[in-house]
Amino acid sequence: MNQTLEKRKLVLVGTGFVGMSFAYTLLTTPGIDELVLVDIDYEKTVGEEMDLAHGLPYAPSKMKIKAGNYDDCKDADIVVVTAGAAQKPNQTRLELTMVNAKIMKGIAEQIKASGFQGILIVASNPVDIMSYVAWKVSGLPKEKVIGSGTLLDTARLRYLMSEYLDVSTKNIHAYIMGEHGDSSFVPWTNCYVGCKLLLEFLEERNKELSDLLDIYKQVQQAAYEIIQRKRATYYGIGLSLNHLVHAIIKDEHSILTVSAYQSGEYGQEGLYIGVPAIVSAQGVKEIIKLPLTGVDQSKFDQSCETLKKIITESVNEIL
């Protein structure tokens, strides 16, 4: 990877709703100098290239955009993978596992063959499992493979909490941890409003934690509801990926809830799962270890066991 990041090149694998929503955000936020689109449907990809490029005269900075192939990954700083089968109404993310694991394996093999040595971001669902597959197959260091994890879940949580508490989202310091899915959870004792503990903030304003538990349920079910109404969810994750990419290219050392490889930080090893982590130009620099309550640690362990079972029973066969 080019550590100076003087010319930043990003390859996007997958030009569906999620990929192109993310690509569009790159036109409005300077930072990427070259964007390469890769997809199994090359003609569609050329069309997407043309459509994006025609907006460049009104974009804040110059960018080279092209439809390419996996060879373009060789000198890229970042590769973002959004490709895979889409989640259908009433289908869980985990039910996508088998088909998308095979797709991700093929993608990671071709990225590896290109000689890519940058940072690989995975957004395909189920993202924790897909991040694990991408890491195992690509041969990249664990800190250079990052899943979008609970980044979007956390954004949804902060938005709804902001509305309820009447405080800016920028001052809501709350995180969703665990699987990007049904076994995620909020470590409420580690949440803050500004510099004040959330639980104290609620008590002073005679607000109930039960209301926030209802908000969490809304977050947990948000994707299902959006998919039921419009068949897919893509704007929120597109902006979330943009935020993650810029944290990397700007070497921000931002704390983001990404899917990161576990090496015992929370008593679990050998899998990817959503945790708060410091993200820099080198990838995941450090996983932040929160003092979880016994109940929250149990929820985290349960979330990990859910993913481990799938890896053992299904994914390892494919790998």
Side-chain angles (χ1 to χ4, degrees), residues 70-71 108-116:
Y70 286 100
D71 290 339
E109 286 173 342
Q110 294 181 83
I111 292 172
K112 180 180 181 180
S114 75
F116 175 67

Side-chain angles (χ1 to χ4, degrees), residues 7-297:
K7 286 287 183 181
R8 303 177 181 92
K9 178 180 179 181
L10 185 147
V11 174
L12 170 63
V13 180
T15 59
F17 284 128
V18 171
M20 294 317 299
S21 294
F22 163 62
Y24 178 74
T25 70
L26 295 178
L27 262 67
T28 64
T29 50
I32 297 300
D33 300 291
E34 182 177 358
L35 172 62
V36 181
L37 307 176
V38 177
D39 195 278
I40 192 170
D41 187 344
Y42 184 73
E43 287 304 314
K44 178 184 186 299
T45 306
V46 172
E48 297 290 3
E49 169 208 330
M50 294 170 65
D51 201 5
L52 286 176
H54 295 167
L56 284 173
Y58 304 122
S61 63
K62 186 178 179 182
M63 181 193 294
K64 179 181 178 182
I65 304 172
K66 74 168 188 173
N69 55 49
Y70 286 100
D71 290 339
D72 288 292
C73 297
K74 182 176 181 179
D75 61 345
D77 298 293
I78 299 172
V79 171
V80 178
V81 181
T82 65
Q87 189 176 356
K88 298 175 183 176
N90 301 317
Q91 183 183 40
T92 68
R93 296 180 182 94
L94 292 179
E95 288 172 341
L96 287 171
T97 297
M98 295 302 289
V99 61
N100 277 352
K102 292 175 183 176
I103 293 171
M104 184 59 66
K105 180 186 178 185
I107 290 171
E109 286 173 342
Q110 294 181 83
I111 292 172
K112 180 180 181 180
S114 75
F116 175 67
Q117 293 297 315
I119 293 176
L120 178 58
I121 295 175
V122 177
S124 309
N125 275 320
V127 68
D128 304 294
I129 301 290
M130 294 306 106
S131 300
Y132 175 83
V133 172
W135 167 66
K136 290 289 284 187
V137 177
S138 70
L140 291 168
K142 63 182 185 299
E143 65 274 8
K144 286 195 171 185
V145 178
I146 308 172
S148 54
T150 52
L151 201 56
L152 176 55
D153 310 69
T154 295
R156 288 168 170 158
L157 177 69
R158 292 179 179 177
Y159 166 72
L160 291 173
M161 286 179 63
S162 170
E163 293 288 295
Y164 174 67
L165 298 174
D166 197 22
V167 174
S168 169
T169 55
K170 294 180 175 62
N171 299 117
I172 303 292
H173 306 297
Y175 305 88
I176 287 188
M177 294 179 60
E179 172 212 354
H180 174 52
D182 298 335
S183 65
S184 65
F185 68 98
V186 183
W188 297 110
T189 56
N190 291 284
C191 297
Y192 288 79
V193 178
C195 56
K196 197 171 192 66
L197 278 167
L198 170 65
L199 299 182
E200 292 180 3
F201 189 89
L202 292 175
E203 185 178 357
E204 289 176 0
R205 284 158 180 76
N206 295 316
K207 292 182 179 290
E208 299 294 331
L209 180 59
S210 59
D211 292 336
L212 292 185
L213 297 179
D214 290 337
I215 284 175
Y216 165 70
K217 289 177 183 176
Q218 292 178 51
V219 171
Q220 187 193 52
Q221 295 298 310
Y224 299 127
E225 290 198 22
I226 294 170
I227 290 168
Q228 193 70 41
R229 286 175 165 85
K230 54 174 279 189
R231 296 186 177 273
T233 164
Y234 36 90
Y235 297 134
I237 186 61
L239 284 164
S240 299
L241 288 170
N242 181 290
H243 189 64
L244 175 56
V245 163
H246 280 81
I248 293 168
I249 64 176
K250 294 178 181 177
D251 197 23
E252 286 181 348
H253 290 67
S254 294
I255 297 176
L256 303 173
T257 47
V258 294
S259 189
Y261 186 83
Q262 298 300 292
S263 299
E265 292 86 0
Y266 286 94
Q268 295 284 343
E269 296 182 1
L271 78 158
Y272 275 76
I273 197 165
V275 290
I278 298 175
V279 177
S280 71
Q282 286 72 47
V284 173
K285 183 180 180 184
E286 177 187 345
I287 290 176
I288 301 296
K289 291 180 280 188
L290 300 177
L292 297 182
T293 64
V295 171
D296 286 341
Q297 183 65 53

